[in-house]
Amino acid sequence: MSGIAQRLDGKIAVVTGASRGIGKGIALELGAAGATVYVTGRTATAGRLPGTVAETAAQIDELGGTGVPVVCDHRDDDAVRQLFEQVQTEHGRLDVLVNNVYNSPAAARWLGKPFWEVPPKAWDETFDVGVRSHYAASYFAAPLLIEAAGLIVNISSPGAERYMHNAVYGVAKTALDRLTADMSHNLADTGVTVVSLWPGIVDTELLQLVPADTDGKRLITLPGEATYDLAEAETPRFPGRAVVALATDPNRKSRTGNAFRVADLADAYSFTDIDGRIPRAD
């Protein structure tokens, strides 16, 4: 990676939903930059999909950071409060909060369906873990972040500005970006920066289940949208590099309240995915 300094030695981060997927990729990149990273999620034992909070924390250690696994259900406010009390007790500061937790396997059931085929429980699932959970974590983390003039990154999506997946998904991502904007308004007189981050198509463990066709291509069709070649997808580490770039940017406050595509930040900060590409499929 080139561009601004990419070290976070001595910094403390929390990444929610980091047992796998985008959250794991972000946690690993923060760890590789030297941070102590609290890795949260419900997964203590691997199931159909690989990955646990302990495995992510161990990989952070291998990369030169310090991983702290915390089993946490982000629907449980008491558990979230205890998470940040632990951070307060052990370090007395928090420099980076990444609100990433999301129930992708549950959301996959409703891909491409019109709203009359997406039941109200899908609304609750999407907003409880994906909007409300981000608000709750930010609420409990705010005093620590204000003290450290820290960074909040909300993992959102281009679905905030165009149709993607279904009506509930789009409304939830739009709400999350509005939350980013309004939190930045409240935090304007502090040193805290809050942004939304839009990854593109990310080759997560869930998408890695997609088999290759007879031509050796792994293609995924999103109903009503497009067919994507997963060879062009970004890795989960790519959005992680965006978070590290923001966390190490002394001028990041100029970005507060706004949403950014990962690829656009890659152009701005001169970083690439782990294979040297700047993926742009979204």
Side-chain angles (χ1 to χ4, degrees):
M1 293 171 64
S2 60
I4 60 175
Q6 300 292 329
R7 296 302 303 174
L8 291 169
D9 301 283
K11 302 298 186 181
I12 311 302
V14 170
V15 183
T16 72
S19 55
R20 63 181 66 88
I22 293 171
K24 178 177 181 177
I26 293 171
L28 294 181
E29 285 295 327
L30 287 166
T36 293
V37 187
Y38 285 74
V39 177
T40 81
R42 291 185 298 167
T43 306
T45 304
R48 184 173 71 95
L49 292 174
T52 68
V53 291
E55 288 173 1
T56 299
Q59 290 178 39
I60 289 169
D61 292 344
E62 293 170 2
L63 290 168
T66 301
V68 183
V70 180
V71 176
C72 178
D73 185 342
H74 282 271
R75 298 170 297 183
D76 182 343
D77 290 349
D78 285 339
V80 178
R81 174 182 53 79
Q82 290 168 15
L83 162 68
F84 291 103
E85 287 177 349
Q86 179 181 346
V87 175
Q88 168 71 55
T89 299
E90 295 176 353
H91 297 283
R93 64 179 293 132
L94 179 62
D95 300 281
V96 181
L97 169 64
V98 181
N99 287 313
N100 164 78
V101 64
Y102 187 71
N103 193 342
S104 295
R109 292 175 293 175
W110 317 115
L111 287 176
K113 295 185 181 295
F115 75 87
W116 58 87
E117 293 181 11
V118 180
K121 72 174 183 177
W123 179 285
D124 296 337
E125 290 174 350
T126 302
F127 273 77
D128 282 353
V129 182
V131 182
R132 188 187 185 283
S133 59
H134 297 0
Y135 179 85
S138 300
Y139 168 80
F140 289 112
L144 288 167
L145 289 162
I146 292 170
E147 182 68 22
L151 168 68
I152 302 172
V153 179
N154 293 320
I155 303 303
S156 186
S157 161
E161 70 173 4
R162 72 169 195 266
Y163 185 86
M164 289 181 70
H165 306 343
N166 57 53
V168 171
Y169 180 88
V171 173
K173 295 305 182 184
T174 302
L176 183 55
D177 283 2
R178 183 71 248 174
L179 179 62
T180 292
D182 287 356
M183 287 199 302
S184 76
H185 178 80
N186 293 152
L187 292 164
D189 294 331
T190 74
V192 179
T193 300
V194 52
V195 300
S196 285
L197 187 63
W198 292 358
I201 302 295
V202 183
D203 196 16
T204 63
E205 292 88 347
L206 185 62
L207 290 189
Q208 286 166 15
L209 297 176
V210 175
D213 63 16
T214 55
D215 294 323
K217 292 185 176 181
R218 294 170 53 238
L219 304 177
I220 182 171
T221 299
L222 299 179
E225 299 179 53
T227 296
Y228 296 92
D229 185 342
L230 292 176
E232 299 175 0
E234 60 196 64
T235 76
R237 299 283 289 267
F238 191 45
R241 293 184 171 187
V243 173
V244 171
L246 288 165
T248 55
D249 181 2
N251 299 312
R252 64 173 180 253
K253 198 70 163 63
S254 64
R255 297 185 179 274
T256 195
N258 296 302
F260 300 94
R261 283 178 167 81
V262 174
D264 291 341
L265 291 179
D267 290 334
Y269 288 113
S270 299
F271 66 85
T272 67
D273 206 339
I274 57 176
D275 59 2
R277 297 179 303 129
I278 298 181
R280 301 186 187 276
D282 65 7

